[in-house]
Amino acid sequence: MNGIGKLKSSSSELDLHIEDYLPSGSSVQQERHGKLRLCDLLDISPSLSEAARAIVDDTFTRCFKSNPPEPWNWNVYLFPLWCCGVVVRYLILFPIRILVLTLGWIIFLSAFIPVHSLLKGNDDLRKKIERCLVEMMCSFFVASWTGVVKYHGPRPSIRPKQVFVANHTSMIDFIILEQMTAFAVIMQKHPGWVGLLQSTILESVGCIWFNRTEAKDREVVARKLRDHVLGANNNPLLIFPEGTCVNNHYSVMFKKGAFELGCTICPVAIKYNKIFVDAFWNSRKQSFTTHLLQLMTSWAVVCDVWYLEPQNLKPGETPIEFAERVRDIISHRAGLKKVPWDGYLKYSRPSPKHREGKQQIFAESVLRRFEEK
């Protein structure tokens, strides 16, 4: 009986009269064809239907989720093997990898500091040596994860009016690509020791930094991009047009800035094998130092890199259409699912213009229902 009483109470709460919430004398209150109930309004609301679909199939949140592997150490036979693996990874491999990375920094700094200080009068030679040193240091980083990277396609070369674009899973994307070719990358400015490396060592290869929260930075970066691509001796330019790290299952919208430069676009597809470790960096939940430690205590980082066929803007094609076409190519090669989301929504709320548009659609549906009644 209590359950039936609760059900009747809930039903009566839903059968509220919309007329009670409308101004007195409105045309809806004067209708005599029947009473408009709240349940009627909910039934015809496309906005609520869209919200329900978003809850059931939330592809935006899925883009930035790290999917933990299925546990396999679930019985008495496998658990000892798992314990042995933990001992090997943390007590044997990890110290060796720390030693490798430390040795790499010693070699790199002992060569980079003199070259950077003593060859300021000979820029061409200095840049060439610094480029080789940065590639070497990135190779030490990859070795510290026992990186198994397979490159497909021709190695990038230095040419004017050429931009490389790639999907983005972690900051290690840059390191993996940089060990092959010293790119000048466009990247978010980071705090801590990563920011120190950005403002000192990586400046030497022509990298460009920005802060996504500063509107003025966009104009400055756009000008630097145009100047860089016109230089014949500048390092190849690398851009991650998604603007944020995505979990290597999905591909979010590409920003159109790289596709407005009038340059040849060279797509690069990166796909990680998660058999040993998930390379996705969720910057909102862990620092880059923690992310590196996670990689260094895993068995290995395994990935494939494809340098794909260069693309040019077709006649009558807009930069946005060009960006989508390149995204199709990368997503197909890397096996990524395309979703129509702006990755910057990860850091900010939807714009007032977007919210007002949704409110307008909802208001129009309500008015149409009132007119029907």
Side-chain angles (χ1 to χ4, degrees):
M1 293 296 292
N2 292 338
I4 296 174
K6 289 180 180 179
L7 192 61
K8 289 182 178 179
S9 175
S10 301
S11 177
S12 62
E13 288 174 2
L14 283 176
D15 290 340
L16 295 174
H17 296 168
I18 300 300
E19 292 87 340
D20 295 338
Y21 298 90
L22 296 174
S24 59
S26 65
S27 59
V28 176
Q29 281 192 331
Q30 297 171 5
E31 294 283 353
R32 300 301 181 188
H33 299 295
K35 291 183 178 180
L36 181 64
R37 301 181 186 277
L38 181 59
C39 58
D40 297 327
L41 186 60
L42 296 177
D43 289 341
I44 55 86
S45 173
S47 299
L48 291 177
S49 299
E50 184 179 350
R53 287 195 300 270
I55 293 172
V56 173
D57 187 19
D58 184 8
T59 54
F60 178 77
T61 304
R62 290 182 189 178
C63 295
F64 311 106
K65 271 188 176 182
S66 179
N67 300 317
E70 290 287 338
W72 57 271
N73 55 334
W74 47 270
N75 64 26
V76 67
Y77 306 107
L78 296 177
F79 185 73
L81 293 176
W82 179 80
C83 291
C84 291
V86 171
V87 170
V88 171
R89 288 189 290 115
Y90 282 85
L91 300 183
I92 299 177
L93 292 180
F94 181 60
I96 293 175
R97 291 166 175 175
I98 289 290
L99 183 61
V100 168
L101 193 58
T102 303
L103 178 63
W105 277 115
I106 292 173
I107 296 174
F108 174 79
L109 292 176
S110 62
F112 182 86
I113 294 175
V115 168
H116 190 72
S117 303
L118 301 178
L119 295 180
K120 287 188 175 181
N122 192 341
D123 288 342
D124 291 339
L125 179 60
R126 176 178 59 83
K127 288 181 178 179
K128 185 176 181 179
I129 297 176
E130 287 177 347
R131 185 184 302 131
C132 294
L133 290 174
V134 169
E135 291 177 3
M136 180 199 70
M137 190 63 231
C138 289
S139 297
F140 273 104
F141 265 106
V142 175
S144 71
W145 319 320
T146 315
V148 181
V149 185
K150 188 174 182 180
Y151 297 92
H152 309 265
R155 179 172 177 167
S157 58
I158 298 178
R159 295 178 183 176
K161 302 197 72 175
Q162 183 174 258
V163 176
F164 289 80
V165 298
N167 58 300
H168 197 23
T169 305
S170 167
M171 202 188 300
I172 70 169
D173 299 338
F174 163 71
I175 298 174
I176 287 173
L177 296 177
E178 197 80 1
Q179 76 158 349
M180 192 72 167
T181 302
F183 288 102
V185 70
I186 313 299
M187 189 181 293
Q188 162 75 20
K189 182 69 174 177
H190 291 275
W193 66 272
V194 177
L196 179 63
L197 294 182
Q198 287 178 322
S199 58
T200 54
I201 295 171
L202 295 180
E203 286 281 356
S204 64
V205 292
C207 295
I208 302 172
W209 317 116
F210 68 92
N211 190 341
R212 61 170 56 91
T213 60
E214 296 291 336
K216 294 182 180 179
D217 279 9
R218 298 180 184 179
E219 299 177 2
V220 175
V221 168
R223 186 178 67 252
K224 289 182 178 180
L225 287 178
R226 293 187 180 93
D227 294 340
H228 187 97
V229 297
L230 294 176
N233 296 321
N234 291 335
N235 292 329
L237 188 63
L238 173 65
I239 299 177
F240 299 106
E242 289 174 303
T244 187
C245 295
V246 188
N247 64 8
N248 212 228
H249 287 294
Y250 295 88
S251 171
V252 298
M253 290 171 56
F254 279 11
K255 302 296 180 183
K256 64 177 182 177
F259 304 89
E260 295 178 320
L261 300 174
C263 301
T264 298
I265 300 295
C266 302
V268 181
I270 306 173
K271 184 64 176 180
Y272 291 93
N273 189 329
K274 298 186 179 182
I275 187 172
F276 295 123
V277 67
D278 186 358
F280 170 56
W281 177 37
N282 191 339
S283 58
R284 304 188 71 177
K285 292 187 176 181
Q286 62 178 181
S287 66
F288 187 63
T289 303
T290 305
H291 181 57
L292 281 182
L293 291 175
Q294 179 185 351
L295 300 179
M296 294 176 70
T297 53
S298 68
W299 288 109
V301 174
V302 182
C303 79
D304 286 271
V305 177
W306 290 273
Y307 297 107
L308 304 173
E309 185 178 351
Q311 304 293 321
N312 290 287
L313 187 69
K314 295 180 179 179
E317 189 177 39
T318 66
I320 294 177
E321 293 170 342
F322 187 22
E324 280 300 298
R325 179 161 61 86
V326 172
R327 183 161 78 114
D328 285 340
I329 295 171
I330 293 175
S331 300
H332 177 72
R333 178 65 272 184
L336 306 177
K337 182 180 178 181
K338 288 179 57 182
V339 291
W341 297 113
D342 185 347
Y344 275 13
L345 292 176
K346 175 182 175 182
Y347 302 98
S348 60
R349 295 181 177 181
S351 65
K353 185 177 180 180
H354 181 74
R355 291 199 304 269
E356 289 171 3
K358 292 293 184 182
Q359 291 168 355
Q360 181 66 26
I361 293 173
F362 181 76
E364 290 174 356
S365 67
V366 171
L367 290 175
R368 281 196 302 268
R369 184 63 175 176
F370 283 164
E371 292 172 357
E372 292 174 2
K373 286 285 184 178

